[in-house]
Amino acid sequence: MKFSRNLSRESIIRFLEGGGPDSELFKAAREVLLESAGSSVFLRGIIELSNDCRKNCFYCGLRRDNKTFSRYTIPFNEVINAFDSGYAKGLRSFLLQSGELLGALHIDHVEKILHWVSRNLEGVRMVLSMGELPMESLERLREAGAHRYLLRIETSSRELYERFHPDDGLHEYDDRLRSLQMIRASGWQTGTGVLIGLPGQTAENLADDLLFMKELDIDMCGMGPYLEHEQTPLWNRRSELRHWEERELLTLRMISLLRILLPTANIAATTALQTLDPEGLEKGLMAGANVVMPNLTPMKYRKDYNLYQGKVHVEDTLDEVLKILENRCSAIGRDVELGNPGDPLHFSNRIKEQVGDWTE
Ligand code: SF4
């Protein structure tokens, strides 16, 4: 079956609804990946720097009103020790993730870590995922050595966004969209993503999410199945959720369709997908993903970073995770690429195009 890279909205909806053979879709996505970006699996070591957050999203266990766990911020020395160990094992891309915190102390802390990485770890790409930061903070962090920014739009539907966030002036769809557009326009390698399988979310909504990411021309994507958390308002609507197998299948279809729409983007096989199914890693990679994110967060903090419940690999050491990843990737004919920061080809291509435009 031949797939056009300009898939129409109607054909995307048809595939999401199961109207096309999944095996053909996954195979086509794998072929696009191999032709465009190769078979490598890139690793991005993640540190969950702080579980504190000023926001209150209805689906997230880290929301401000959840008082059932302790909040932490990992001190500088523990962060750099974790980076050092990851670097020694061949990791060259690290993600610092936290809830949304705008205070000077948080930004100073991140800036200090980035300066240390720039001075001490050669050839590393730093990725940040810390919510909607003001331009001034983003610029400071970029100057300190950050290269990539991930800001999930969560859903491109304004109506769904408003349904799953409080109406308090702090969770505005327009602010999130502007923030993402500003990041993209100011030269970051830009990533976004969506939740898949929210109550009431339709195939049309998800098709629009894919077209939104194509239109924004993103470099990276991390999208995973929605997983419920009992300390959130959405827990009360869990009876409306699709069965986990359906959420998984939708996620795999989304990965494949995005691979066809954006052949050279980096797409993650997310931990949420692996939490839903022990074979989620292999299935995500076979559907067209090419990035995996081993957790480098020091062990004592991990149980308190609960975006959702039941997260996998919480107790595995980096050595164990790398070994498992290498074995499982090689079993499906994919190589884990150590010693390589795995810049998204999509980013280098669009920069080349821009330079071409300026010099013509
Ligand atoms: S989704 Fe992000 S911004 Fe929203 S409550 Fe969770 S950590 Fe905070």
Side-chain angles (χ1 to χ4, degrees), residues 134-194:
M135 185 67 168
E136 190 200 338
S137 302
L138 285 168
E139 279 307 305
R140 266 180 65 191
L141 299 178
R142 198 143 74 103
E143 277 169 26
H147 308 87
R148 308 177 183 155
Y149 205 94
L150 297 175
L151 182 71
R152 284 172 43 146
I153 190 77
E154 307 296 5
T155 167
S156 64
S157 152
R158 179 186 299 273
E159 193 206 328
L160 282 184
Y161 194 92
E162 289 173 357
R163 203 183 299 165
F164 297 124
H165 295 89
D167 179 16
D168 59 0
L170 197 61
H171 300 76
E172 297 294 326
Y173 178 82
D174 286 331
D175 291 343
R176 194 141 192 103
L177 182 58
R178 253 195 306 272
S179 193
L180 185 54
Q181 287 166 335
M182 176 182 78
I183 290 164
R184 170 71 171 67
S186 50
W188 292 81
Q189 296 183 18
T190 305
T192 191
V194 293

Side-chain angles (χ1 to χ4, degrees), residues 53 55-57 59-60 62-64 98-100 154 307:
C53 187
K55 286 198 167 161
N56 230 352
C57 308
Y59 46 81
C60 175
L62 297 190
R63 62 199 307 272
R64 191 181 66 221
S98 72
E100 188 172 293
E154 307 296 5
L307 298 168

Side-chain angles (χ1 to χ4, degrees), residues 39-62:
S39 64
S40 297
V41 176
F42 298 108
L43 301 186
R44 191 192 291 147
I46 175 170
I47 293 212
E48 294 150 339
L49 182 65
S50 173
N51 63 356
D52 213 350
C53 187
R54 71 188 192 117
K55 286 198 167 161
N56 230 352
C57 308
F58 291 156
Y59 46 81
C60 175
L62 297 190

Side-chain angles (χ1 to χ4, degrees), residues 29-229:
R30 275 200 306 282
E31 284 169 5
V32 169
L33 173 67
L34 291 183
E35 271 169 31
S36 321
S39 64
S40 297
V41 176
F42 298 108
L43 301 186
R44 191 192 291 147
I46 175 170
I47 293 212
E48 294 150 339
L49 182 65
S50 173
N51 63 356
D52 213 350
C53 187
R54 71 188 192 117
K55 286 198 167 161
N56 230 352
C57 308
F58 291 156
Y59 46 81
C60 175
L62 297 190
R63 62 199 307 272
R64 191 181 66 221
D65 284 355
N66 182 4
K67 313 283 188 204
T68 60
F69 64 107
S70 16
R71 304 281 174 170
Y72 70 77
T73 294
I74 309 180
F76 176 77
N77 283 341
E78 293 183 50
V79 175
I80 62 170
N81 287 343
F83 281 155
D84 249 347
S85 330
Y87 192 84
K89 305 271 180 241
L91 298 189
R92 293 295 181 269
S93 166
F94 298 107
L95 166 63
L96 278 173
Q97 187 173 58
S98 72
E100 188 172 293
L101 299 166
L102 306 187
L105 273 181
H106 182 63
I107 303 299
D108 291 350
H109 184 45
V110 178
E111 188 178 39
K112 189 174 164 195
I113 295 167
L114 292 169
H115 276 142
W116 183 88
V117 171
S118 305
R119 288 187 199 117
N120 293 282
L121 303 181
E122 210 186 319
V124 157
R125 291 288 183 276
M126 291 301 295
V127 196
L128 303 180
S129 177
M130 319 190 137
E132 296 161 44
L133 297 184
M135 185 67 168
E136 190 200 338
S137 302
L138 285 168
E139 279 307 305
R140 266 180 65 191
L141 299 178
R142 198 143 74 103
E143 277 169 26
H147 308 87
R148 308 177 183 155
Y149 205 94
L150 297 175
L151 182 71
R152 284 172 43 146
I153 190 77
E154 307 296 5
T155 167
S156 64
S157 152
R158 179 186 299 273
E159 193 206 328
L160 282 184
Y161 194 92
E162 289 173 357
R163 203 183 299 165
F164 297 124
H165 295 89
D167 179 16
D168 59 0
L170 197 61
H171 300 76
E172 297 294 326
Y173 178 82
D174 286 331
D175 291 343
R176 194 141 192 103
L177 182 58
R178 253 195 306 272
S179 193
L180 185 54
Q181 287 166 335
M182 176 182 78
I183 290 164
R184 170 71 171 67
S186 50
W188 292 81
Q189 296 183 18
T190 305
T192 191
V194 293
L195 283 164
I196 300 164
L198 287 161
Q201 189 182 40
T202 61
E204 284 79 4
N205 294 138
L206 290 168
D208 290 339
D209 289 342
L210 290 169
L211 294 170
F212 168 88
M213 291 190 265
K214 172 148 172 97
E215 170 77 24
L216 194 66
D217 200 23
I218 54 156
D219 305 305
M220 304 171 290
C221 176
M223 57 184 167
Y226 164 64
L227 299 178
E228 57 274 36
H229 188 299

